[in-house]
Amino acid sequence: MFRLPRTLIIAGTKQIFSNNHTKTFQQLALGYKSQYNVDNIYTKSNTDFLSGLSKHVTKFSSANNEEFSGYIPTDQLTISYSRSSGPGGQHVNKVNTKVEIRFHVESAEWIPQWVRDKLVQKEQNNINKEGFLIITSDRSRKQMLNQADCLDKLRTMIFNSCQKPYEPTEEEIRIKNKRIAKAQREILRKKREHSLKKQNRSSPSFGDS
């Protein structure tokens, strides 16, 4: 009769005891790598992508040279869910797929102050009287997709507010002034020509021989 080796599974540590060898599930998982793993396919990429999240600045000062990195701390947002409207059948009336994101703009220290000021000006139609910016999405029948859509809308709004007016270089200013001066000289030349034509068209006086 075939008998399985003595195996003992402890719920807390999930260790396997077999033939006097102890191996954890974590060690087994880390020991095996397929030929199609991320390290082999993307040799120059950083697989530990979560390590960079802690480096993002979540509190800015009042300096005007600070830039928004694109990172949005979700713990600083108020996210709520409700039933969506529109097509979708009876599923729409059963699941809260519509997503609403709001936050107080003036107290959002994870956005630079100068960007917050422009955000209030540009998105005043989406900000209520209490100063909360409200973004909603019900494009999809999936709650997570609608939440991602809200975050994408918010990120686009902030990046649009980060756009600074273009400052021309000294060379561009010199070329522009040169073109303006040339255009003014051309206008004066045409005026003189027009004046001479009017003088030549004037009829001679009767006293001339």
Side-chain angles (χ1 to χ4, degrees), residues 94-117:
K94 294 180 180 179
V95 183
N96 295 331
T97 57
K98 184 178 180 179
V99 180
E100 178 186 285
I101 290 179
R102 63 171 62 198
F103 70 97
H104 193 259
V105 180
E106 292 298 334
S107 59
E109 296 182 343
W110 49 277
I111 304 177
Q113 181 62 50
W114 70 273
V115 180
R116 276 180 273 170
D117 296 337

Short mmCIF file of all heavy atoms in Angstrom, two decimals, residues 94-117:
data_model
loop_
_atom_site.label_atom_id
_atom_site.label_comp_id
_atom_site.label_asym_id
_atom_site.label_seq_id
_atom_site.Cartn_x
_atom_site.Cartn_y
_atom_site.Cartn_z
N LYS A 94 -27.74 47.39 -8.82
CA LYS A 94 -27.35 46.51 -7.73
C LYS A 94 -25.96 46.81 -7.19
O LYS A 94 -25.67 46.54 -6.03
CB LYS A 94 -27.39 45.05 -8.20
CG LYS A 94 -28.80 44.56 -8.55
CD LYS A 94 -28.74 43.11 -9.00
CE LYS A 94 -30.13 42.60 -9.36
NZ LYS A 94 -30.10 41.19 -9.83
N VAL A 95 -25.08 47.32 -8.02
CA VAL A 95 -23.68 47.50 -7.65
C VAL A 95 -23.33 48.98 -7.69
O VAL A 95 -23.73 49.70 -8.60
CB VAL A 95 -22.75 46.72 -8.59
CG1 VAL A 95 -21.29 46.85 -8.15
CG2 VAL A 95 -23.15 45.25 -8.64
N ASN A 96 -22.56 49.44 -6.71
CA ASN A 96 -22.11 50.83 -6.65
C ASN A 96 -20.86 50.98 -7.52
O ASN A 96 -19.73 50.87 -7.05
CB ASN A 96 -21.81 51.24 -5.21
CG ASN A 96 -23.06 51.25 -4.36
OD1 ASN A 96 -24.15 51.48 -4.84
ND2 ASN A 96 -22.89 50.99 -3.07
N THR A 97 -21.07 51.25 -8.79
CA THR A 97 -19.95 51.36 -9.73
C THR A 97 -19.52 52.80 -9.98
O THR A 97 -18.41 53.05 -10.42
CB THR A 97 -20.31 50.70 -11.07
OG1 THR A 97 -21.49 51.32 -11.58
CG2 THR A 97 -20.57 49.21 -10.89
N LYS A 98 -20.39 53.76 -9.73
CA LYS A 98 -20.03 55.16 -9.94
C LYS A 98 -19.08 55.61 -8.84
O LYS A 98 -19.29 55.32 -7.66
CB LYS A 98 -21.29 56.03 -9.95
CG LYS A 98 -21.01 57.50 -10.24
CD LYS A 98 -22.30 58.30 -10.29
CE LYS A 98 -22.02 59.77 -10.59
NZ LYS A 98 -23.28 60.55 -10.65
N VAL A 99 -18.05 56.34 -9.21
CA VAL A 99 -17.00 56.76 -8.27
C VAL A 99 -16.95 58.28 -8.22
O VAL A 99 -17.04 58.95 -9.26
CB VAL A 99 -15.62 56.19 -8.67
CG1 VAL A 99 -14.55 56.64 -7.68
CG2 VAL A 99 -15.68 54.68 -8.75
N GLU A 100 -16.83 58.79 -7.02
CA GLU A 100 -16.65 60.24 -6.82
C GLU A 100 -15.43 60.47 -5.95
O GLU A 100 -15.27 59.85 -4.90
CB GLU A 100 -17.88 60.84 -6.14
CG GLU A 100 -17.73 62.33 -5.85
CD GLU A 100 -18.88 62.90 -5.05
OE1 GLU A 100 -19.96 63.10 -5.63
OE2 GLU A 100 -18.70 63.14 -3.84
N ILE A 101 -14.56 61.34 -6.41
CA ILE A 101 -13.34 61.72 -5.68
C ILE A 101 -13.41 63.20 -5.37
O ILE A 101 -13.72 64.01 -6.25
CB ILE A 101 -12.08 61.38 -6.49
CG1 ILE A 101 -11.88 59.87 -6.57
CG2 ILE A 101 -10.85 62.04 -5.88
CD1 ILE A 101 -10.67 59.46 -7.36
N ARG A 102 -13.11 63.55 -4.15
CA ARG A 102 -13.09 64.96 -3.76
C ARG A 102 -11.97 65.21 -2.76
O ARG A 102 -11.57 64.32 -2.00
CB ARG A 102 -14.43 65.40 -3.18
CG ARG A 102 -14.83 64.72 -1.89
CD ARG A 102 -16.06 65.39 -1.29
NE ARG A 102 -17.21 65.31 -2.17
CZ ARG A 102 -18.28 66.10 -2.07
NH1 ARG A 102 -18.33 67.02 -1.09
NH2 ARG A 102 -19.30 65.97 -2.89
N PHE A 103 -11.46 66.43 -2.78
CA PHE A 103 -10.46 66.86 -1.80
C PHE A 103 -10.48 68.37 -1.73
O PHE A 103 -10.90 69.06 -2.67
CB PHE A 103 -9.06 66.35 -2.18
CG PHE A 103 -8.46 67.02 -3.38
CD1 PHE A 103 -7.59 68.08 -3.26
CD2 PHE A 103 -8.79 66.58 -4.66
CE1 PHE A 103 -7.05 68.70 -4.37
CE2 PHE A 103 -8.26 67.18 -5.77
CZ PHE A 103 -7.38 68.24 -5.63
N HIS A 104 -10.03 68.89 -0.57
CA HIS A 104 -9.99 70.33 -0.36
C HIS A 104 -8.72 70.88 -0.99
O HIS A 104 -7.60 70.51 -0.60
CB HIS A 104 -10.04 70.65 1.14
CG HIS A 104 -10.30 72.08 1.43
ND1 HIS A 104 -9.30 72.97 1.78
CD2 HIS A 104 -11.46 72.80 1.40
CE1 HIS A 104 -9.83 74.17 1.97
NE2 HIS A 104 -11.13 74.09 1.75
N VAL A 105 -8.88 71.75 -1.97
CA VAL A 105 -7.74 72.20 -2.77
C VAL A 105 -6.75 73.00 -1.94
O VAL A 105 -5.54 72.78 -2.00
CB VAL A 105 -8.23 73.02 -3.99
CG1 VAL A 105 -7.04 73.49 -4.82
CG2 VAL A 105 -9.19 72.21 -4.84
N GLU A 106 -7.23 73.96 -1.16
CA GLU A 106 -6.33 74.86 -0.44
C GLU A 106 -5.49 74.13 0.60
O GLU A 106 -4.38 74.54 0.90
CB GLU A 106 -7.14 75.97 0.23
CG GLU A 106 -7.79 76.95 -0.73
CD GLU A 106 -6.76 77.69 -1.56
OE1 GLU A 106 -5.62 77.85 -1.10
OE2 GLU A 106 -7.09 78.10 -2.69
N SER A 107 -6.00 73.04 1.15
CA SER A 107 -5.25 72.30 2.18
C SER A 107 -4.52 71.09 1.61
O SER A 107 -3.97 70.29 2.37
CB SER A 107 -6.20 71.84 3.29
OG SER A 107 -7.22 71.01 2.76
N ALA A 108 -4.50 70.93 0.29
CA ALA A 108 -3.82 69.80 -0.35
C ALA A 108 -2.33 70.11 -0.45
O ALA A 108 -1.87 70.65 -1.45
CB ALA A 108 -4.43 69.51 -1.72
N GLU A 109 -1.57 69.77 0.57
CA GLU A 109 -0.15 70.09 0.61
C GLU A 109 0.68 69.21 -0.32
O GLU A 109 1.87 69.46 -0.48
CB GLU A 109 0.37 69.98 2.04
CG GLU A 109 -0.27 70.97 3.00
CD GLU A 109 0.29 70.87 4.40
OE1 GLU A 109 0.92 69.82 4.70
OE2 GLU A 109 0.09 71.79 5.19
N TRP A 110 0.09 68.18 -0.91
CA TRP A 110 0.81 67.34 -1.86
C TRP A 110 0.84 67.96 -3.25
O TRP A 110 1.42 67.38 -4.18
CB TRP A 110 0.20 65.95 -1.91
CG TRP A 110 -1.29 65.92 -2.07
CD1 TRP A 110 -2.22 66.05 -1.08
CD2 TRP A 110 -2.03 65.78 -3.29
NE1 TRP A 110 -3.48 65.99 -1.61
CE2 TRP A 110 -3.41 65.82 -2.96
CE3 TRP A 110 -1.66 65.61 -4.62
CZ2 TRP A 110 -4.40 65.70 -3.92
CZ3 TRP A 110 -2.65 65.49 -5.58
CH2 TRP A 110 -4.00 65.53 -5.22
N ILE A 111 0.22 69.14 -3.40
CA ILE A 111 0.28 69.91 -4.65
C ILE A 111 0.99 71.22 -4.35
O ILE A 111 0.67 71.88 -3.36
CB ILE A 111 -1.13 70.18 -5.20
CG1 ILE A 111 -1.90 68.89 -5.40
CG2 ILE A 111 -1.06 70.95 -6.52
CD1 ILE A 111 -3.33 69.09 -5.87
N PRO A 112 1.96 71.65 -5.17
CA PRO A 112 2.62 72.93 -4.92
C PRO A 112 1.62 74.08 -4.86
O PRO A 112 0.59 74.06 -5.53
CB PRO A 112 3.57 73.07 -6.13
CG PRO A 112 3.79 71.67 -6.59
CD PRO A 112 2.53 70.93 -6.31
N GLN A 113 1.93 75.09 -4.04
CA GLN A 113 1.00 76.19 -3.80
C GLN A 113 0.67 76.94 -5.08
O GLN A 113 -0.50 77.27 -5.34
CB GLN A 113 1.59 77.15 -2.76
CG GLN A 113 0.68 78.32 -2.41
CD GLN A 113 -0.63 77.88 -1.79
OE1 GLN A 113 -0.64 77.10 -0.86
NE2 GLN A 113 -1.74 78.39 -2.31
N TRP A 114 1.65 77.21 -5.92
CA TRP A 114 1.39 77.96 -7.14
C TRP A 114 0.52 77.16 -8.11
O TRP A 114 -0.27 77.74 -8.87
CB TRP A 114 2.70 78.36 -7.81
CG TRP A 114 3.48 77.24 -8.41
CD1 TRP A 114 4.39 76.44 -7.79
CD2 TRP A 114 3.43 76.80 -9.77
NE1 TRP A 114 4.90 75.52 -8.67
CE2 TRP A 114 4.34 75.72 -9.89
CE3 TRP A 114 2.71 77.21 -10.89
CZ2 TRP A 114 4.54 75.05 -11.08
CZ3 TRP A 114 2.91 76.53 -12.09
CH2 TRP A 114 3.82 75.48 -12.18
N VAL A 115 0.61 75.82 -8.05
CA VAL A 115 -0.25 74.99 -8.89
C VAL A 115 -1.67 74.99 -8.33
O VAL A 115 -2.65 75.00 -9.09
CB VAL A 115 0.31 73.55 -8.96
CG1 VAL A 115 -0.58 72.67 -9.83
CG2 VAL A 115 1.72 73.57 -9.52
N ARG A 116 -1.80 74.99 -7.01
CA ARG A 116 -3.14 75.04 -6.40
C ARG A 116 -3.87 76.32 -6.78
O ARG A 116 -5.08 76.31 -7.05
CB ARG A 116 -3.02 74.93 -4.88
CG ARG A 116 -2.91 73.51 -4.37
CD ARG A 116 -2.81 73.49 -2.87
NE ARG A 116 -1.44 73.63 -2.42
CZ ARG A 116 -1.07 73.83 -1.16
NH1 ARG A 116 -1.99 73.98 -0.23
NH2 ARG A 116 0.20 73.93 -0.84
N ASP A 117 -3.14 77.42 -6.82
CA ASP A 117 -3.76 78.70 -7.17
C ASP A 117 -4.30 78.67 -8.60
O ASP A 117 -5.42 79.14 -8.87
CB ASP A 117 -2.75 79.83 -7.01
CG ASP A 117 -2.30 80.00 -5.56
OD1 ASP A 117 -3.06 79.58 -4.66
OD2 ASP A 117 -1.21 80.56 -5.33
#
